[in-house]
Amino acid sequence: MNAELDLALERRIGKRSAGVIEKHLGITTVGGLLNYFPRRYLDRGELTRISEIPHDEDVTLIARVVSNSSRQMRERRGSITDVIIADDTGPGLKIVGGSDYRGSVPGTLKVSFFNGFRAKSDLQPGRRALFSGKVTSFKGVLGLTNPDFQVLDEDPDVPGVDPEALAARPIPIYPATAKLTSWSIQKVVETLLETLDLDSVPDPLPADIVQREKFLPAAEAYRQIHVPATTGDWQQARKRFRYQEALVLQSALARRRAQLAAEEATARRPVADGLLAAFDAQLPFTLTAGQTAVGKTLTEELSQDSPMNRLLQGEVGSGKTIVALRAMLQVVDAGGQAALLAPTEVLAAQHYESIRRTLGPLSRDGLLGGLGADSVQVSLLTGSMGTAARKQALLDAASGTAGILIGTHALLSENVRFYDLGLIVVDEQHRFGVEQRDALRAKANKPPHLLVMTATPIPRTVAMTVFGDLETSVLDELPAGRAPISTHLVGLAENPGWAGRIWSRSREEISRGHQVYVVCPKIGADDDGDFSPGEAEPTGADTDAGGRELASVTGVVEYLQQEPVLAGVSIAALHGKQDPALKSATMADFAANTTSLLVSTTVIEVGVDVHNATMMVILDADRFGISQLHQLRGRVGRGGLPGTCLLVTNLEPGHPSRRRLDAVAATTDGFALSQEDLKLRREGDILGASQSGGRSTLKLLRVLEHEDVIAQARQDAQLLVGKDPALAGQPALAAAIDEYLNPEKEAFLERG
């Protein structure tokens, strides 16, 4: 790292300013603040549309003052200055200022200052100003209380700068906090630029790339991104830093791939007359062309002495499990073990039974013991197993008796040991965090092969795919017998009468001899929800925006048992906190059609296979993520009968969360939904544990918007690392990787 950039911030801007920056932004070095880029820019002639500002969020906007009045407070000493600001001052706009202001006129906002003597004098009608604060609501009227402001019409004189040029400068808007405004950050950054020798800062980009792309030099790019004279200045600077970010990431990925390829994994080559050959010979159906092609790829990669790292994406029921099982048998043939990690006990148990049933005579009873070339022992390990069964499963894994071990998070426990773990299969990977998958990989003697399966990639996976860290295979053929699923958005806010129709429609399906799922976001009144990691609406509230209690399994069962249209219908409840024996019995009853209507949380999201189920009602569907909704509806229409899914919401039309529901209702294409999910929730932390949104390491780079930049950077990085794996000839680039991708973050690059 360059000594200048690594310098303590107080050495350049003073202890007081540095303390404020550290307290509110967590930045302590010169390089940290220098690379704290504006998130957008405002033109000084631009008037932000007040009608579009979000409620209960910190905003920075430019507006014109329409009126200014002050009044004395009644219950305590002091005054209140009310300032009305507007989008524009057209002839049709009439505002009554001061205490007579009663409501919100479109395009206006009321700004109140307690003892606002400066606001009273500075914010005169007609002046344009920059405001920064939190939007609040009082009696239904949006407003700002005691915001920071800066009058733009009276900028202080800057020596040597043309006033007209100064007036034309874009205003950088930095990611700010409630206590630290954007322009306060701007002033500190400008102070830093004045004291810093930018020309001494090394450029991470190779000179030939800078010349080829006609990029700004690093020093000039820093000046223009923070203090642009024109719109073109910051656009040029952003272009350069966006590519720089992509190259740093891609070089790190290329370096990790090179290191991974150099690691010695155990090759698991196929055996001509082994279990896999016997399994293929007894299959009662022919593999699809996609299954055959993916199987060939897996066979080749498992045969290499470098670890496989592959994502297998396929729609619900597309045959991913058969492909994975064939890969597991190849590893077992080669003397290794395979572990299948499932997100729920219901799914783990179903995988256990399904795989043993599919193997038929090739599945050996664990009581026989010993290894044999003509059979494989499949064992199950879950958290709720009895002590004796759990000990036996642990012993079978550690001794190598179990060729295939299927389990839940229990597989990640410290006391789980493997004799020779050669392949990890992660099912429905959107239910697991990165660290959980990595914990299982650490149990292998040598780097194991990894196969990640999903029906709908979540944003982080799509991002990693675009960045090239995961090799990807797709099964895009639906199996024979799968009927289409019709998905409908049921908006009760605009159509309250549809509430009753939901249950009469359910009764129609049941009267035809079919079955119905009803999915709720909560178990009971005191529950926080039964969501997948990273999928739930991040409100943490038990009520919706209107204060209504969210649907719970216990509450809905009680209600439906009293619903006249469902009289005589057998109704059961299922959720993750039930006793395992009760859960198994409940699912068995539903599978046998003893139960007609099953009210459940998302424990039925994956793996549940009841062919007679033709309808699903998802209550408070806006509380679930796109991946969950897509997975859930995949439970119906599995037996050749058309499926129907109703996405029920009480949110008003136009609410942002309804966009997710519209997306799911519009298509059953899993990859298209993952792209939409990425647009809505961002990439997640490409280099960290976060699965989506909010904590992205990326600053200027956006995966879907800048695929061309990423592709070019990947090509350049492969050439650089191919010629110089340690990047010894590119010390500035290597230093940028070390700084931007600290060891903890870089380790995530190979975890998939």
Side-chain angles (χ1 to χ4, degrees), residues 477-672:
E477 301 171 75
L478 284 178
R482 285 302 303 270
I485 302 173
S486 300
T487 305
H488 306 280
L489 177 58
V490 180
L492 297 183
E494 65 270 35
N495 299 292
W498 287 0
R501 175 58 182 155
I502 293 170
W503 309 121
S504 59
R505 180 69 183 83
S506 300
R507 182 58 190 252
E508 291 170 7
E509 288 296 315
I510 294 170
S511 296
R512 296 190 183 106
H514 303 153
Q515 292 163 277
V516 176
Y517 293 103
V518 177
V519 180
C520 306
K522 296 173 59 183
I523 296 173
D526 298 328
D527 177 44
D528 291 330
D530 192 15
F531 301 108
S532 304
E535 288 290 340
E537 182 74 2
T539 61
D542 290 335
T543 57
D544 65 11
R548 185 189 60 83
E549 183 75 17
L550 296 175
S552 66
V553 171
T554 55
V556 170
V557 167
E558 183 178 343
Y559 172 80
L560 294 183
Q561 287 173 337
Q562 305 300 319
E563 173 62 45
V565 75
L566 294 175
V569 172
S570 55
I571 300 173
L574 181 70
H575 58 77
K577 293 183 180 178
Q578 289 175 326
D579 179 80
L582 176 59
K583 282 191 291 188
S584 297
T586 301
M587 277 308 307
D589 288 344
F590 191 67
N593 203 4
T594 304
T595 299
S596 298
L597 190 149
L598 184 66
V599 183
S600 172
T601 58
T602 57
V603 294
I604 57 114
E605 179 184 346
V606 290
V608 176
D609 191 14
V610 178
H611 287 193
N612 194 48
T614 56
M615 184 172 177
M616 175 173 287
V617 178
I618 305 179
L619 301 176
D620 292 314
D622 49 272
R623 301 292 293 187
F624 302 99
I626 285 179
S627 293
Q628 279 187 307
L629 293 172
H630 183 57
Q631 290 282 351
L632 285 166
R633 70 173 167 190
R635 300 308 107 204
V636 298
R638 301 176 69 86
L641 301 169
T644 300
C645 178
L646 303 182
L647 306 176
V648 183
T649 180
N650 286 277
L651 294 181
E652 296 285 344
H655 191 285
S657 291
R658 284 190 50 157
R659 183 178 167 186
R660 294 201 305 273
L661 306 186
D662 291 332
V664 175
T667 182
T668 56
D669 184 329
F671 197 79

Side-chain angles (χ1 to χ4, degrees), residues 298 310-314 319-325 328 340-341 343 347 351 355 424-432 437 450-457 461 473 475 606 631 752:
L298 297 185
R310 182 161 290 275
L311 168 69
L312 176 57
Q313 189 235 330
K320 298 186 296 295
T321 305
I322 288 293
V323 171
L325 178 55
M328 289 190 279
L340 172 58
L341 181 61
L347 181 56
H351 272 313
I355 286 178
I424 297 170
V425 179
V426 181
D427 193 19
E428 302 307 338
Q429 64 88 37
H430 71 281
R431 300 294 295 268
F432 294 97
R437 301 194 293 271
L450 175 67
L451 178 63
V452 172
M453 301 194 300
T454 183
T456 305
T461 303
S473 294
L475 292 175
V606 290
Q631 290 282 351

Side-chain angles (χ1 to χ4, degrees), residues 243 246-247 249-251 253-254 257 465-471 707-720:
Y243 176 84
L247 185 67
L249 286 166
Q250 287 297 335
S251 297
L253 287 166
R257 282 194 297 269
T465 301
V466 174
F467 277 100
D469 191 48
L470 286 172
E471 298 297 334
E707 288 189 54
D708 56 336
V709 177
I710 294 166
Q712 181 62 60
R714 186 183 188 205
Q715 181 178 337
D716 290 339
Q718 286 175 328
L719 290 173
L720 288 169

Side-chain angles (χ1 to χ4, degrees), residues 36-359:
Y36 193 77
F37 297 147
R39 65 180 178 187
R40 62 191 178 100
Y41 299 83
L42 295 179
D43 180 75
R44 288 173 188 261
E46 174 185 353
L47 288 170
T48 302
R49 294 187 63 83
I50 291 174
S51 59
E52 297 176 357
I53 64 174
H55 174 248
D56 201 34
E57 288 189 19
D58 291 309
V59 299
T60 298
L61 56 90
I62 295 177
R64 189 179 295 280
V65 177
V66 176
S67 66
N68 182 322
S69 62
S70 297
R71 52 191 167 89
Q72 293 298 311
M73 288 186 280
R74 296 177 180 177
E75 299 182 1
R76 57 174 174 158
R77 296 178 62 182
S79 65
I80 297 177
T81 297
D82 291 324
V83 177
I84 308 302
I85 59 177
D87 282 338
D88 60 43
T89 54
L93 183 64
K94 295 181 179 180
I95 300 294
V96 178
S99 59
D100 292 330
Y101 183 78
R102 289 285 183 264
S104 177
V105 176
T108 68
L109 193 69
K110 184 176 182 178
V111 186
S112 299
F113 298 89
F114 293 93
N115 297 319
F117 304 111
R118 177 170 162 256
K120 182 178 180 179
S121 63
D122 291 357
L123 295 176
Q124 294 301 309
R127 285 185 174 174
R128 181 181 282 110
L130 191 67
F131 297 88
S132 181
K134 189 169 187 176
V135 181
T136 58
S137 177
F138 180 70
K139 294 184 178 180
V141 178
L142 295 183
L144 293 172
T145 302
N146 289 330
D148 286 301
F149 69 90
Q150 182 181 37
V151 177
L152 299 180
D153 297 326
E154 297 180 354
D155 284 304
D157 291 335
V158 179
V161 177
D162 179 9
E164 291 187 7
L166 182 64
R169 278 185 178 177
I171 300 171
I173 303 299
Y174 290 85
T177 69
K179 298 287 182 70
L180 187 64
T181 64
S182 171
W183 55 81
S184 296
I185 299 171
Q186 179 188 357
K187 290 178 180 177
V188 175
V189 171
E190 289 181 355
T191 300
L192 175 65
L193 292 176
E194 292 171 2
T195 62
L196 182 64
D197 181 11
L198 282 177
D199 294 320
S200 71
V201 175
D203 191 345
L205 296 185
D208 58 338
I209 292 179
V210 173
Q211 184 177 7
R212 183 193 72 198
E213 299 293 335
K214 296 181 173 59
F215 285 140
L216 292 172
E220 189 62 26
Y222 276 119
R223 293 188 186 95
Q224 292 189 181
I225 201 165
H226 288 296
V227 191
T230 66
T231 298
D233 285 353
W234 64 259
Q235 289 176 339
Q236 275 191 300
R238 272 194 168 187
K239 181 180 179 182
R240 183 238 151 74
F241 285 121
R242 181 177 294 124
Y243 176 84
Q244 180 175 313
E245 187 173 26
L247 185 67
V248 169
L249 286 166
Q250 287 297 335
S251 297
L253 287 166
R255 197 167 67 176
R256 295 300 294 184
R257 282 194 297 269
Q259 292 169 351
L260 191 63
E263 289 182 349
E264 185 181 352
T266 301
R268 311 289 179 172
R269 298 183 178 87
V271 177
D273 56 352
L275 282 166
L276 178 55
F279 176 74
D280 287 344
Q282 72 171 25
L283 272 179
F285 54 85
T286 302
L287 295 175
T288 66
Q291 287 174 318
T292 301
V294 173
K296 182 179 179 182
T297 299
L298 297 185
T299 295
E300 293 173 351
E301 294 190 345
L302 290 172
S303 301
Q304 303 300 315
D305 55 9
S306 58
M308 175 180 74
N309 191 22
R310 182 161 290 275
L311 168 69
L312 176 57
Q313 189 235 330
E315 290 294 344
V316 175
S318 60
K320 298 186 296 295
T321 305
I322 288 293
V323 171
L325 178 55
R326 295 185 70 253
M328 289 190 279
L329 291 178
Q330 178 175 330
V331 170
V332 173
D333 274 340
Q337 294 169 286
L340 172 58
L341 181 61
T344 67
E345 292 198 355
V346 170
L347 181 56
Q350 288 193 348
H351 272 313
Y352 175 67
E353 296 296 339
S354 174
I355 286 178
R356 294 183 73 197
R357 184 172 58 251
T358 303
L359 287 170

